[in-house]
Amino acid sequence: MARRRIADGGDHPGNTLTWLEGRVSRLVWRSEETGWTVLRLVVDDKEHTVVGDLGGILGDDDPTGTFLAVEGESEKHSVHGSQFKATGVIHGLPRTLLGLEVYLASAGVPGVGPILAKRIVKAFGERSLSVIEKEPERLTEVDGISQKRADAIRDRWIHDEQGRATTVLLMGLGLSRRLVHRIRERYGDETGKVVTMTPFRLMDEVSGIGFKTADGLAQRAGVALDDPARVAAAVDHVLKLQEKEGHTAVPIEIVVQGLRGLGVPDAGLKEVLDERALTGRVRIEDDVLFRPILHASEWTIAETLLQIHAKRNAAQTDDADLIERAARWVGVTLDPTQADAVAAALRGGVVVITGGPGTGKTTLVRVLLRAARERQMDWLLASPTGRAAKRLEEASGEPASTVHRLLEFRPDLGGFQKSVSNPLEADGVLIDESSMLDVALMKAVLLAIPDDCGLVLVGDADQLPSVGVGRILADIIDSGVIPVVRLTTIHRQAMDSGIIAAASQIHQGVRPLSGQHSGHSDFFVIERDNPEHARETLLTVVAKRLASQGFDPITDVQVLAPTRRGPLGTEMLNQAVQGALNPDGQALAKLGEKSLRMGDRVLCIRNRYDLEVFNGDVGVVLKKTADGIDVDMDGRKVSFAWEDLSDLDLAWAMTVHKAQGSEYPAVVLALHDSHHLLLRRSLLYTAVTRASKFLCIVGSRRALDRAVGDIGGVTRRTRLQKRLIEARSASATQGAEVHPFSEPEA
């Protein structure tokens, strides 16, 4: 039961603080930036909502099942109702019978799980720990504990006294059982010493430990706020946060801002950075910081691109007849820009082909592959995602794969098997949707390109950049070093598309015309200012109107939104669409506050190389098994274990970022003022170009106008463009100048 006590000291000695002790039933939300957390805590079979800055003590792992004791005050929130605002965490052993049960079940004692822990506490109450330590023979009084098991519990309890003390320390900080086990498994008998003397080591050496968790341990151990180790760890943390935002280059002033946000003094920053630079933990150029791996990777990409391009056939061979024959075979007539692009690709080296929808990128690829076949050249096709690869294969008529499969990624063997020492066997490699390539994937592709093999990068530079770090396609184009063919002419067969017309208008910064004004039957805007009304309208479009137009709501329609949270975010939309399209599906599991049902569309949200499933892959739940659930991923059955279900999310609605590289017959896009932080032209353009046959935008006119008018946020800070220019200059100095392809007039 929750109890009350008088706060010790402080400026308000009359205040009373409540403390709660129990088991974390689920994590509702956590901010990586601020550590602000919302979770559910079960106390005496009653679930309480707890909020507060708990990021530093809960760690970066899932805290479900963790024993947690917090103090603070109950409050009534105007929107969220009753909740407990935590102001601190109570350390040490449990104070309640429920706390004892949770603690015993998670203290690492072999054979003592939740059921047995409950029986022990029921038998001995608050003396349970004392009985285990001093009167272990009495454990046989508990149903289910034999003399042999009692001896094992006693022996482990005595043997693991130091480890148990460490467990108490870590769990007193609120760390999850899984995270405590991971730390102890990594350091063994040295765990106590590491977590109290060098806690920031955990950031690099234990998965799930970030700065806030390590800093919580450090503060408990008495580490000074300006300790160089703390400053260095905070710098690493800021660089990693910047990497998550897509940046490879981080100005020192951004680092200083980040340190201040963490409450870390920057007075000794220069000395720390000098030491980090000397030991190779950071690279510094012109007051700009880089994580060493990203610094090296951008240089590798730049130099390798130029090396591949330098081996092209520089002679201006006359391929006009060959290209014309290939175009006739495909059944199209190429415009001059398209023909020049095919000719450049046939000469080898590196060529970028970019353009919006309807400009003929797919047609160009088909002609190129036909011409290459006539020359008896072997080309390999790939795309960053499974859905994009499947679309490329269907459009080109040639086999295509994901980049990971092309490069034979094997985590058990250390990564990509295709590399410099074991290159691909091909005369040419074509990567579609190359705007999705991040630094790591681009580097892997280049290192696997064999001698005298051409590389063609096809993509729309106006779409969102990659989910991963970098802006590869944009940097290559902006450098002016690599040949770029821009397809700008919208061809006749695409001119009647309202979707393509809308994409073109958005690209020009003009609000797209809805079908009732433009005469197009495949693009409409339905204005709804009230988010509840917008959601109701969206469901009507998805479940009824599109069905009447011949679209299967379950297989043909995809709902998109800019954000996960909010009244029109994917979390609420997923539940709403699930209720409309799969109301009777058998409930199989819980994903946070969501129910996972048979027949649900699901999305993999992280790379699972062991299952050959990648971030962004979509499937359908088939059935429940003894070990988890089976999912149909594009015709292949994939089994997800119960403990891995956090790798899945509902996919009835997806963020625009997650939909990159995919195309759907029909798209319904929620666009509202509540999405204001992400209303950018590139995001709207990407969302619109995901639809092939029908597109409907539901939301407010203000949101649409803002998205069209906002060119967009902070440009990713990278150095690849600069590296390419510098690498070309170095090649020219050494007598091996690279001559970029002369871009024809569009």
Side-chain angles (χ1 to χ4, degrees), residues 49 167 181 255 264 272 372 435 443 522 524 532 630:
T49 298
T167 298
H181 175 73
V255 175
V264 178
V272 167
S435 62
K443 176 183 173 182
D522 60 345
F524 291 92
E532 299 293 333
D630 287 343

Side-chain angles (χ1 to χ4, degrees), residues 620-642:
V620 177
V621 176
L622 294 175
K623 64 179 181 179
K624 182 178 181 179
T625 68
D627 300 319
I629 64 169
D630 287 343
V631 179
D632 180 349
M633 306 293 281
D634 282 329
R636 186 171 63 91
K637 186 182 77 172
V638 179
S639 297
F640 285 84
W642 293 118

Side-chain angles (χ1 to χ4, degrees), residues 524-723:
F524 291 92
V525 177
I526 302 177
E527 295 182 15
R528 295 288 186 272
D529 289 334
N530 182 288
E532 299 293 333
H533 295 163
R535 190 162 61 246
E536 292 171 3
T537 299
L538 182 146
L539 290 176
T540 300
V541 171
V542 170
K544 297 180 180 179
R545 293 187 185 178
L546 285 174
S548 69
Q549 298 298 314
F551 293 99
D552 185 333
I554 294 179
T555 60
D556 295 340
V557 182
Q558 182 61 58
V559 175
L560 299 179
T563 63
R564 286 180 55 82
R565 296 183 175 86
L568 285 170
T570 59
E571 291 182 348
M572 292 193 70
L573 289 174
N574 259 315
Q575 295 185 54
V577 178
Q578 181 193 52
L581 299 184
N582 191 26
D584 301 320
Q586 179 186 356
L588 304 181
K590 294 284 287 184
L591 293 177
E593 296 188 343
K594 301 179 289 292
S595 173
L596 190 63
R597 303 173 183 173
M598 187 180 298
D600 273 339
R601 285 167 59 180
V602 289
L603 170 75
C604 186
I605 58 175
R606 60 177 55 86
N607 291 330
R608 286 298 306 270
Y609 301 111
D610 55 329
L611 301 177
E612 293 190 20
V613 178
F614 303 102
N615 189 352
D617 285 353
V618 174
V620 177
V621 176
L622 294 175
K623 64 179 181 179
K624 182 178 181 179
T625 68
D627 300 319
I629 64 169
D630 287 343
V631 179
D632 180 349
M633 306 293 281
D634 282 329
R636 186 171 63 91
K637 186 182 77 172
V638 179
S639 297
F640 285 84
W642 293 118
E643 60 268 24
D644 295 330
L645 292 189
S646 59
D647 294 339
L648 296 176
D649 198 0
L650 290 174
W652 298 110
M654 289 196 294
T655 63
V656 178
H657 272 93
K658 289 293 185 184
Q660 277 182 272
S662 298
E663 187 176 83
Y664 312 93
V667 167
V668 182
L669 172 66
L671 204 68
H672 192 262
D673 300 343
S674 59
H675 301 137
H676 63 281
L677 294 177
L678 287 177
L679 293 176
R680 302 283 187 267
R681 186 182 300 174
S682 59
L683 182 138
L684 176 59
Y685 178 85
T686 301
V688 167
T689 54
R690 298 310 90 206
S692 61
K693 296 181 180 179
F694 184 86
L695 171 68
C696 180
I697 298 176
V698 179
S700 65
R701 174 176 291 202
R702 288 188 304 274
L704 181 58
D705 286 345
R706 177 168 179 170
V708 169
D710 196 327
I711 295 177
V714 177
T715 300
R716 288 188 173 183
R717 293 181 291 270
T718 64
R719 283 294 175 92
L720 178 58
Q721 177 183 346
K722 184 172 184 288
R723 305 291 186 228

Side-chain angles (χ1 to χ4, degrees), residues 32-52:
E32 292 185 3
E33 289 76 19
T34 66
W36 187 263
T37 302
V38 181
L39 56 81
R40 304 281 194 257
L41 190 70
V42 176
V43 181
D44 291 341
D45 296 326
K46 181 180 179 182
E47 196 172 62
H48 297 257
T49 298
V50 177
V51 303

Side-chain angles (χ1 to χ4, degrees), residues 6-129:
I6 302 298
D8 296 325
D11 296 330
H12 306 283
N15 285 356
T16 58
L17 294 178
T18 302
W19 59 270
L20 295 178
E21 179 179 88
R23 174 180 56 83
V24 177
S25 59
R26 65 184 183 275
L27 175 69
V28 178
W29 185 76
R30 173 170 54 203
S31 168
E32 292 185 3
E33 289 76 19
T34 66
W36 187 263
T37 302
V38 181
L39 56 81
R40 304 281 194 257
L41 190 70
V42 176
V43 181
D44 291 341
D45 296 326
K46 181 180 179 182
E47 196 172 62
H48 297 257
T49 298
V50 177
V51 303
D53 184 3
L54 301 174
I57 55 101
L58 280 177
D60 303 313
D61 217 359
D62 182 1
T64 300
T66 298
F67 164 71
L68 182 64
V70 290
E71 69 177 11
E73 296 178 322
S74 297
E75 63 179 20
K76 189 80 171 179
H77 193 277
S78 58
V79 176
H80 304 295
S82 297
Q83 59 186 28
F84 184 86
K85 187 173 183 180
T87 57
V89 177
I90 302 171
H91 306 291
L93 291 172
R95 305 183 181 194
T96 66
L97 297 183
L98 174 65
L100 274 171
E101 289 179 18
V102 177
Y103 174 76
L104 273 176
S106 57
V109 180
V112 179
I115 295 176
L116 210 52
K118 191 178 190 70
R119 292 176 185 170
I120 292 173
V121 173
K122 184 177 180 180
F124 305 115
E126 296 179 357
R127 297 190 62 250
S128 296
L129 299 182

Side-chain angles (χ1 to χ4, degrees), residues 207-390:
S207 174
I209 298 288
F211 175 78
K212 287 188 175 292
T213 304
D215 195 40
L217 293 169
Q219 295 307 301
R220 180 167 173 79
V223 174
L225 296 181
D226 60 352
D227 188 288
R230 183 172 187 255
V231 176
V235 169
D236 288 347
H237 177 69
V238 171
L239 293 182
K240 289 176 182 177
L241 286 180
Q242 288 290 302
E243 182 179 341
K244 286 184 178 181
E245 295 296 320
H247 306 296
T248 64
V250 185
I252 285 183
E253 57 265 28
I254 299 295
V255 175
V256 171
Q257 292 174 16
L259 295 187
R260 290 173 179 171
L262 294 169
V264 178
D266 58 83
L269 179 59
K270 183 181 184 305
E271 291 75 13
V272 167
L273 291 180
D274 288 344
E275 188 275 333
R276 302 292 272 179
L278 282 173
T279 57
R281 297 296 300 272
V282 70
R283 296 298 299 268
I284 306 175
E285 290 181 9
D286 306 322
D287 290 334
V288 176
L289 275 60
F290 303 82
R291 292 189 67 213
I293 183 64
L294 297 178
H295 183 273
S297 294
E298 284 192 323
W299 267 116
T300 298
I301 291 170
E303 293 173 343
T304 309
L305 272 172
L306 294 181
Q307 289 168 8
I308 294 171
H309 191 64
K311 294 177 181 177
R312 78 201 186 288
N313 178 7
Q316 297 290 322
T317 56
D318 186 3
D319 295 316
D321 290 342
L322 171 65
I323 295 171
E324 185 177 348
R325 286 197 304 275
R328 282 202 305 269
W329 189 90
V330 172
V332 299
T333 300
L334 299 185
D335 66 29
T337 305
Q338 291 175 308
D340 286 336
V342 174
L346 290 172
R347 287 196 294 272
V350 184
V351 179
V352 173
I353 299 172
T354 185
T359 57
K361 296 191 298 296
T362 300
T363 297
L364 187 152
V365 169
R366 295 176 62 200
V367 174
L368 167 61
L369 295 176
R370 177 63 189 178
R373 178 181 294 180
E374 187 170 330
R375 277 198 175 172
Q376 297 185 328
M377 299 172 68
D378 292 325
W379 277 70
L380 298 174
L381 311 183
S383 191
T385 68
R387 295 181 72 87
K390 185 177 180 180

